[in-house]
């Protein structure tokens, strides 16, 4: 069995930013337009008026202060409330491949490697912009990588499930290295007109380069152990798929975008994740007190505070459990990888840490890593 190392990470961050205040102003303008257009029906009690959103609520309920998006104008247009994504021809790179390549390139640069050193590409994300050919194969082609690529989707847990998949292939010897890339264009599957969730997502692409430890050029993280678990739930769901109805009819189908029962998710996922991490640590003989850092899925600050406290048995010290959701919002599978990428290089030799993602499925994935300098 080969030992596996994460030797590079990359984060592509879209340039455009939407603050809570900008988002709320657009939402409230949309709500006012809707209420004016439906004034008679609302007065007759046949249609429910849309209430205003609030920046204070968003910060208090989630900890999110802003989000990056690929197209700000479309999202903030009260008459549209959806990004403009120009249709691309088959000869142009897909949007997911385009941003995924940028994150992959950063991960390779950090590892001091080139495309010639990569044996496989796994594109692991919560939504794919087309059925096939796989986005991973397109990224493989754009980077001129030999070997193979495939897509996988485990919603918000896609990145950690992808890391386990790549790790197992490297361990067994079927490949020497892999890029696991997570282009998350969440703005395309969020209903920006739904007050309960219009604030939660942002766009980003992350990538992780994994290879045999003996091939590492620079300080790295040894993958000590991975664990994945799933348990069926309808509380986070998106029904959009190849059986969907036409675009016009979709306007009446709220279930064709991201849907969640946020309160239930909060309550049900917390015990699931805490027990998953505790079990993983126990089975690997790792004490919670040995963990120098937790890089958790970035959906909600209160949720992460709870998990951090449950895992460590005390309030995490500042920096022990870095959050990035105040700047990026929920970026689905990419969140824990952004936290890891931006808050890990300072760790000392032999320091242990845990990457953990969770979300729809339900799904939970955890990766125990050890710093090697
Ligand atoms: N602005 C102002 N008020 C709002 C609002 C908004 N944008 N959205 C909801 N509210 C109101 C609700 O109407 C409700 O009012 P009421 O008490 O009068 O009925 C109140 O605020 C509480 O709403 P609720 O939806 O219960 O809020 P919450 O505290 O559960 O927070 C989430 C909402 C989504 C932030 C939170 O449930 C969460 O993060 N859950 C976990 C989500 C998760 O991990 N999902 C995984 C996705 S990958």
């Amino acid at each position: 069995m080969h030992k596996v190392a994460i030797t590079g990470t990359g984060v592509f961050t879209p340039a455009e930013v939407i603050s809570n205040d900008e988002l709320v102003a657009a939402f409230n303008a949309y709500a006012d337009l809707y209420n004016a257009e439906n004034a008679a029906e609302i007065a007759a009690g046949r249609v429910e008026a849309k209430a205003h959103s609030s920046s204070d609520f968003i910060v208090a309920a989630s900890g999110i202060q802003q989000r990056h998006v690929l197209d700000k104008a479309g999202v903030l247009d009260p008459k549209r409330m959806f990004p403009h994504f120009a249709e691309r021809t088959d000869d142009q790179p897909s949007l997911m491949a385009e941003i995924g390549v940028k994150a992959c390139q950063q991960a390779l640069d950090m590892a001091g490697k080139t495309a010639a050193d990569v044996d496989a590409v796994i594109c692991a994300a919560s939504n794919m912009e087309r059925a096939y050919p796989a986005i991973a194969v397109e990224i493989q082609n754009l980077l001129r990588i030999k070997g193979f690529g495939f897509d996988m989707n485990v919603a918000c847990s896609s990145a950690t499930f992808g890391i386990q998949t790549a790790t197992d292939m490297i361990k067994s010897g079927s490949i020497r290295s892999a890029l696991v890339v997570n282009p998350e264009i969440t703005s395309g599957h969020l209903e920006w007109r739904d007050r309960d969730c219009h604030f939660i997502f942002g766009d980003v692409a992350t990538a992780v380069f994994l290879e045999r430890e003996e091939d590492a050029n620079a300080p790295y993280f040894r993958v000590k152990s991975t664990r994945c678990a799933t348990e069926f739930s309808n509380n986070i769901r998106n029904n959009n798929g190849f059986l969907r109805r036409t675009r016009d009819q979709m306007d009446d189908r709220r279930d064709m975008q991201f849907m969640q029962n946020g309160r239930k998710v909060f309550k049900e996922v917390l015990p699931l994740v805490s027990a998953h991490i505790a079990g993983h640590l126990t089975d690997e003989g790792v004490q919670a007190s040995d963990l120098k850092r937790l890089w958790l899925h970035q959906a909600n600050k209160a949720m992460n505070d709870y998990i951090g406290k449950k895992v460590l048995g005390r309030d995490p010290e500042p920096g022990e459990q870095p959050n990035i959701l105040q700047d990026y919002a929920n970026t689905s599978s990419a969140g824990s990888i952004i936290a890891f990428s931006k808050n890990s290089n300072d760790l000392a030799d032999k320091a242990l840490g845990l990457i953990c993602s969770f979300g729809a499925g339900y799904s939970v994935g955890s990766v125990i890593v050890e710093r090697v300098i």
Side-chain angles (χ1 to χ4, degrees), residues 283-329:
D283 290 351
E284 292 301 325
V286 174
Q287 306 291 319
S289 55
D290 296 336
L291 292 176
K292 293 287 174 273
R293 203 151 294 171
L294 301 175
W295 300 281
L296 299 179
H297 175 51
Q298 304 285 315
N300 183 295
K301 183 174 181 306
M303 222 164 167
N304 284 4
D305 290 347
Y306 178 96
I307 293 168
K309 192 170 177 176
K310 193 91 182 157
V311 171
L312 298 176
R314 58 176 170 76
D315 283 325
E317 300 287 332
E320 246 181 339
Q321 181 204 292
N323 281 329
I324 53 85
L325 59 79
Q326 64 282 2
D327 301 322
Y328 284 85

Side-chain angles (χ1 to χ4, degrees), residues 101-120:
V101 158
K102 292 178 182 169
C104 286
Q105 198 55 64
Q106 285 182 27
L108 288 177
D109 289 348
M110 180 176 163
K113 295 292 163 78
T114 68
D117 301 306
V118 185
D119 282 353

Side-chain angles (χ1 to χ4, degrees), residues 24 27-28 51-58 60-64 126 155-157 194-201 235-236 258-267 269 297-303 330-333 358-360 362:
V24 165
F27 179 90
N28 291 348
H52 276 189
S53 182
S54 117
S55 295
D56 290 345
F57 171 85
I58 294 171
S62 68
I64 295 165
S126 54
C156 287
S157 294
D194 183 338
R195 174 175 171 264
D196 287 348
C197 65
H198 77 115
F199 53 89
I200 72 176
F201 281 130
N235 284 327
I236 315 170
F258 165 85
M259 302 265 290
Q260 76 167 353
N261 187 336
R263 273 279 157 98
K264 276 202 172 157
V265 173
F266 204 113
K267 284 203 182 121
V269 166
H297 175 51
Q298 304 285 315
N300 183 295
K301 183 174 181 306
M303 222 164 167
N330 182 344
T331 48
S332 198
S333 72
F358 41 88
Y362 294 132

Side-chain angles (χ1 to χ4, degrees), residues 77-373:
D77 177 352
K79 295 202 171 122
R80 179 177 171 89
M81 306 290 279
F82 195 72
H84 295 277
F85 292 135
E87 189 128 357
R88 296 179 171 201
T89 67
D90 292 356
D91 298 328
Q92 294 174 303
S94 64
L95 196 48
M96 283 180 76
E98 185 179 297
I99 65 172
V101 158
K102 292 178 182 169
C104 286
Q105 198 55 64
Q106 285 182 27
L108 288 177
D109 289 348
M110 180 176 163
K113 295 292 163 78
T114 68
D117 301 306
V118 185
D119 282 353
V121 179
I122 300 175
C123 179
S126 54
N127 285 265
M128 298 298 164
E129 71 181 87
R130 62 164 182 262
Y132 47 80
I135 305 291
V137 178
E138 191 183 359
I139 292 174
Q140 178 201 354
N141 181 54
L142 289 168
L143 288 170
R144 303 195 191 291
I145 290 169
K146 296 205 175 76
F148 63 93
F150 60 88
D151 292 349
M152 56 184 279
N153 174 356
V154 200
C156 287
S157 294
S158 299
T160 50
F161 278 56
I163 289 173
Q164 168 160 308
T165 306
T167 298
D168 288 350
M169 289 193 292
I170 298 168
K171 263 190 198 168
S172 72
S174 66
I175 56 172
R176 286 189 81 100
S177 66
L179 278 163
V180 179
V181 52
N182 325 106
E184 289 288 6
I185 307 176
T186 63
S187 61
H189 51 97
L190 175 60
E191 176 50 272
W192 296 92
R193 297 171 299 187
D194 183 338
R195 174 175 171 264
D196 287 348
C197 65
H198 77 115
F199 53 89
I200 72 176
F201 281 130
D203 297 334
V204 80
T206 53
V208 169
F209 183 60
L210 298 109
E211 58 186 324
R212 284 188 193 172
E213 229 180 282
E214 70 216 49
D215 293 338
N217 279 339
Y220 58 88
F221 282 91
R222 174 179 297 139
V223 180
K224 275 183 75 72
S225 170
T226 62
R227 176 169 294 189
C228 297
T230 51
E231 194 177 298
F232 188 70
S233 166
N234 276 323
N235 284 327
I236 315 170
R237 193 170 168 118
N238 182 341
N239 280 337
N240 203 350
F242 73 94
L243 294 180
R244 73 171 188 227
R245 298 196 293 184
T246 65
R247 178 74 209 165
D248 286 350
Q249 290 166 315
M250 271 175 63
D251 266 354
D252 299 328
R253 291 285 301 272
R254 177 63 190 87
D255 62 323
M256 293 296 181
Q257 302 277 46
F258 165 85
M259 302 265 290
Q260 76 167 353
N261 187 336
R263 273 279 157 98
K264 276 202 172 157
V265 173
F266 204 113
K267 284 203 182 121
E268 293 176 4
V269 166
L270 287 178
L272 204 68
V273 173
S274 307
H276 177 94
I277 295 175
H280 191 183
L281 294 179
T282 303
D283 290 351
E284 292 301 325
V286 174
Q287 306 291 319
S289 55
D290 296 336
L291 292 176
K292 293 287 174 273
R293 203 151 294 171
L294 301 175
W295 300 281
L296 299 179
H297 175 51
Q298 304 285 315
N300 183 295
K301 183 174 181 306
M303 222 164 167
N304 284 4
D305 290 347
Y306 178 96
I307 293 168
K309 192 170 177 176
K310 193 91 182 157
V311 171
L312 298 176
R314 58 176 170 76
D315 283 325
E317 300 287 332
E320 246 181 339
Q321 181 204 292
N323 281 329
I324 53 85
L325 59 79
Q326 64 282 2
D327 301 322
Y328 284 85
N330 182 344
T331 48
S332 198
S333 72
S336 58
I337 304 301
I338 305 174
F340 174 63
S341 180
K342 291 186 181 289
N343 299 278
S344 53
N345 286 345
D346 60 311
L347 287 179
D349 191 40
K350 298 195 173 46
L352 294 181
L354 178 105
I355 305 170
C356 182
S357 63
F358 41 88
Y362 294 132
S363 55
V364 196
S366 50
V367 182
I368 302 172
V369 294
E370 177 179 0
R371 183 74 169 150
V372 181
I373 294 181

